[in-house]
Amino acid sequence: MTRVFSGVKPTGHLTLGNYLGAMRQWAAVDQHRSDALFCVVDLHALTVDHDPARVRRLSRQAATLLLASGLDPELCTVFVQSHVDEHARLSYVLECVATDGEMRRMIQYKEKAAREQRRGGSLRLSLLTYPVLMAADILAYGADEVPVGDDQAQHVELTRDLAERFNQRYGHAFVVPRATHPKVAARVMNLQEPTSKMGKSDDTGPGIVYLLDEPDVVRKKLMRALTDSGREVVYDREVSPGVANLLEILAACSGGNPEALAGVYESYGTLKRDTAEAVVEVLRPVQERHKELCADPGRVEEVLRNGAERARAMARPTVDAAYRAIGLLPAGSDTGAPVLNAAR
């Protein structure tokens, strides 16, 4: 059975982009067709300056929203990254395989480093090396597929490179994964800056629809979305990025096609209004389920505890095999040859 791994980073409140671009497909498709693991990757939230209490709060909220979006712990494994030590164990081993040049070529590192420097902050080493931790997240479980947005494709390519390099040098320990992308709304853009991704850690709140925004707040944000200087509703990301973004959001919510929908509308106002209502209806069941789960916090804790146990049992044989293959002395009396092909 195909194994799928993906995760969400608790650096901000989850957004419409997270849901349409990833979470909805995880619930509707991936958990049913595969051996799927979905993780709150909280260790990745430590790569920049942060408030510890906020990271904990957002980690719990993210886990709750994963369940509210339709992930079923009877069908998939939902857990928190830091609850499974194998992630950090494998990350260091892969750092011994990766190169400095590979890390510095990562587009997201360049962008985040530039942003931190503009703010006058210092760069943490973990900001440079976190793509290796991401690779460890994936390789520890022998994942075949990694559902990601376009902005994360480079990281999956790095993961593939590290897996192949390790396998060639030390023996076959890892499955080489591939990235998969949803066809529509893989990258929902900021409503006020339609050439930029709708990121959960951005500061431009009016351009971001959060999963827990009240319906009236959602409507207000969509009605104020930046469009274009022209009047014609066309689907063209280069010429009319704001309108194209609205059309993609509407298509993702309604099951339509952005190009076909463009021919339906004669004004921006009507397009915005219909898009807003479509978003409100898509988010309604998620918000209702979130309220139910918040009323029963013990249920979420139980899911995360059981998920971590299952994830640990899956990851440990692969990580132990990688330790042996790279030359580390096994704990206890067993000092024999490495056990390879343990990715499954």
Side-chain angles (χ1 to χ4, degrees):
M1 192 175 189
T2 299
R3 182 167 291 174
V4 171
F5 176 93
S6 200
V8 293
K9 185 165 58 174
T11 52
H13 299 287
L14 296 182
T15 72
L16 178 67
N18 296 127
Y19 182 69
L20 294 181
M23 294 164 62
R24 185 172 63 169
Q25 175 165 311
W26 298 348
V29 179
D30 293 328
Q31 69 173 342
H32 297 282
R33 69 173 179 84
S34 62
D35 181 10
L37 300 100
F38 301 106
C39 180
V40 178
V41 288
D42 54 344
L43 294 176
H44 290 287
L46 310 184
T47 59
V48 294
D49 189 35
H50 63 278
D51 174 10
R54 185 170 186 266
V55 170
R56 284 191 292 269
R57 184 171 63 252
L58 289 175
S59 295
R60 176 178 289 277
Q61 183 184 89
T64 305
L65 281 169
L66 286 177
L67 298 175
S69 71
L71 293 185
D72 184 347
E74 297 297 322
L75 298 175
C76 65
T77 302
V78 181
F79 66 106
V80 175
Q81 179 189 34
S82 63
H83 295 176
V84 181
D85 294 344
E86 278 63 32
H87 291 257
R89 289 180 62 208
L90 183 56
S91 181
Y92 180 75
V93 167
L94 293 178
E95 283 187 14
C96 298
V97 178
T99 68
D100 175 76
E102 286 176 315
M103 297 299 97
R104 297 187 186 280
R105 285 194 295 270
M106 292 289 106
I107 295 173
Q108 286 207 1
Y109 168 73
K110 293 179 180 179
E111 293 176 348
K112 292 181 179 180
R115 187 160 57 243
E116 285 297 313
Q117 289 173 339
R118 286 195 299 269
R119 293 173 177 172
S122 58
L123 298 180
R124 301 186 180 190
L125 180 61
S126 56
L127 185 61
L128 177 66
T129 61
Y130 90 91
V132 177
L133 176 58
M134 182 175 177
D137 298 338
I138 298 165
L139 297 180
Y141 299 100
D144 302 287
E145 296 181 2
V146 187
V148 292
D150 295 338
D151 58 323
Q152 294 291 337
Q154 188 184 31
H155 290 157
V156 180
E157 284 305 308
L158 174 69
T159 301
R160 290 173 54 84
D161 291 342
L162 295 179
E164 291 174 346
R165 189 178 307 155
F166 189 101
N167 289 346
Q168 291 169 0
R169 290 180 180 177
Y170 306 112
H172 192 282
F174 300 121
V175 171
V176 180
R178 60 185 178 275
T180 59
H181 309 277
K183 295 181 180 180
V184 178
R187 199 176 190 193
V188 178
M189 312 306 278
N190 190 296
L191 297 176
Q192 294 299 319
E193 300 176 16
T195 58
S196 300
K197 176 186 172 183
M198 185 184 284
K200 56 183 174 293
S201 56
D202 289 347
D203 296 325
T204 51
I208 305 170
V209 176
Y210 296 106
L211 294 188
L212 296 179
D213 277 347
E214 294 291 334
D216 286 346
V217 174
V218 173
R219 294 185 182 99
K220 183 177 180 181
K221 289 180 177 180
L222 265 300
M223 292 304 296
R224 292 184 177 181
L226 184 68
T227 49
D228 307 289
S229 57
R231 295 182 178 180
E232 187 179 1
V233 178
V234 295
Y235 180 61
D236 189 325
R237 274 227 167 262
E238 296 297 324
V239 176
S240 305
V243 174
N245 188 37
L246 291 172
L247 288 168
E248 287 197 355
I249 292 172
L250 178 58
C253 291
S254 65
N257 177 280
E259 294 180 349
L261 287 169
V264 174
Y265 292 94
E266 297 182 354
S267 71
Y268 293 160
T270 306
L271 171 61
K272 289 180 177 181
R273 188 159 50 249
D274 285 359
T275 303
E277 292 307 317
V279 171
V280 167
E281 289 307 309
V282 161
L283 295 185
R284 190 185 308 280
V286 177
Q287 294 178 351
E288 290 175 352
R289 178 59 175 154
H290 178 265
K291 289 180 181 179
E292 295 174 2
L293 290 167
C294 286
D296 185 13
R299 171 59 178 156
V300 177
E301 292 177 3
E302 180 185 17
V303 168
L304 296 180
R305 183 171 57 253
N306 293 340
E309 291 177 359
R310 290 164 60 184
R312 193 176 302 115
M314 282 187 266
R316 183 163 295 170
T318 297
V319 177
D320 285 349
Y323 265 51
R324 295 184 182 208
I326 204 169
L328 298 177
L329 189 66
S333 59
D334 182 5
T335 57
V339 179
L340 303 178
N341 297 310
R344 275 287 190 271

